[in-house]
Amino acid sequence: MKNIKLILALLVMPLVAFNCSDDDDMKNENGLPNLAGTYMQEDQMGRPAVNTVFVSPSSKDMFNVTVPSMQNASFQSMFQTNLQGLSPAFANAGDTNALGLDAATFSGVLATDVLNVSLDGTTTFYDGTNVLTGRNLSDDVITVELLLIFGGEDFSENPGLSDDNVDANDKPFLASFPYLASPW
């Protein structure tokens, strides 16, 4: 819940801070937003739920302030241990998921908590062919993550663990910016 509130605050804050005020104190001499000050990264969530599930509680703060380029080296072994302890699909050496990734390789992908984006191809979390090339609002991200973690080589293993059973947003997304569905 804390992560959801933080994400919502980060989405709304720029609208409130820079679009709903004509206070010149919030702009620098060039008319740009004044971002002077000390800021600290509090949380990372390039891929929803990955940080929450695979980072041990005692390491959460350190993971959240580690730059992504250093995350694999610092946290891959923790991710692999937690992945293998959590998922029967990776119980044996040589087991792979539907992407053909074994536990060490897949946990390395997960440990670098960034959202990859294809600049010249399909943008999707998974569409049956393209995987982790970005994210559309309508992508069923949690189910894709569950399939890759629990579904085994062909998504058939552990069917009770491989779907969150939430197949669509509760309201339709907008066709224009800000694209998110209207509030309840």
Side-chain angles (χ1 to χ4, degrees), residues 167-182:
D167 297 325
N169 200 41
D170 59 341
K171 295 178 110 181
F173 295 112
L174 301 175
S176 60
F177 185 82
Y179 303 106
L180 299 173
S182 60

Side-chain angles (χ1 to χ4, degrees), residues 74-97:
S74 300
F75 297 98
Q76 183 277 330
S77 63
M78 176 195 311
F79 273 58
Q80 183 174 345
T81 298
N82 292 341
L83 174 66
Q84 289 177 307
L86 181 66
S87 177
F90 289 101
N92 301 309
D95 285 346
T96 64
N97 63 14

Side-chain angles (χ1 to χ4, degrees), residues 60-136:
K60 292 273 187 206
D61 290 339
M62 183 56 67
F63 181 82
N64 282 324
V65 298
T66 301
V67 295
S69 62
M70 300 300 295
Q71 288 174 330
N72 191 336
S74 300
F75 297 98
Q76 183 277 330
S77 63
M78 176 195 311
F79 273 58
Q80 183 174 345
T81 298
N82 292 341
L83 174 66
Q84 289 177 307
L86 181 66
S87 177
F90 289 101
N92 301 309
D95 285 346
T96 64
N97 63 14
L99 301 178
L101 305 177
D102 63 12
T105 307
F106 185 50
S107 59
V109 169
L110 295 176
T112 304
D113 191 21
V114 296
L115 182 60
N116 300 320
V117 178
S118 174
L119 299 177
D120 58 358
T122 302
T123 299
T124 184
F125 208 71
Y126 178 74
D127 65 4
T129 303
N130 300 286
V131 182
L132 305 178
T133 59
R135 180 176 174 205
N136 291 307

Side-chain angles (χ1 to χ4, degrees), residues 8-95:
L8 288 174
L10 290 173
L11 288 172
V12 171
M13 187 176 71
L15 296 174
V16 172
F18 301 116
N19 293 338
C20 297
S21 173
D22 60 1
D23 183 356
D24 290 337
D25 292 342
M26 297 179 70
K27 297 180 180 176
N28 65 22
E29 62 276 358
N30 298 322
L32 299 172
N34 182 357
L35 300 176
T38 302
Y39 297 92
M40 183 175 152
Q41 183 169 315
E42 292 284 334
D43 197 6
Q44 291 192 67
M45 201 161 244
R47 294 191 188 107
V50 171
N51 175 343
T52 306
V53 172
F54 292 103
V55 179
S56 300
S58 62
S59 300
K60 292 273 187 206
D61 290 339
M62 183 56 67
F63 181 82
N64 282 324
V65 298
T66 301
V67 295
S69 62
M70 300 300 295
Q71 288 174 330
N72 191 336
S74 300
F75 297 98
Q76 183 277 330
S77 63
M78 176 195 311
F79 273 58
Q80 183 174 345
T81 298
N82 292 341
L83 174 66
Q84 289 177 307
L86 181 66
S87 177
F90 289 101
N92 301 309
D95 285 346

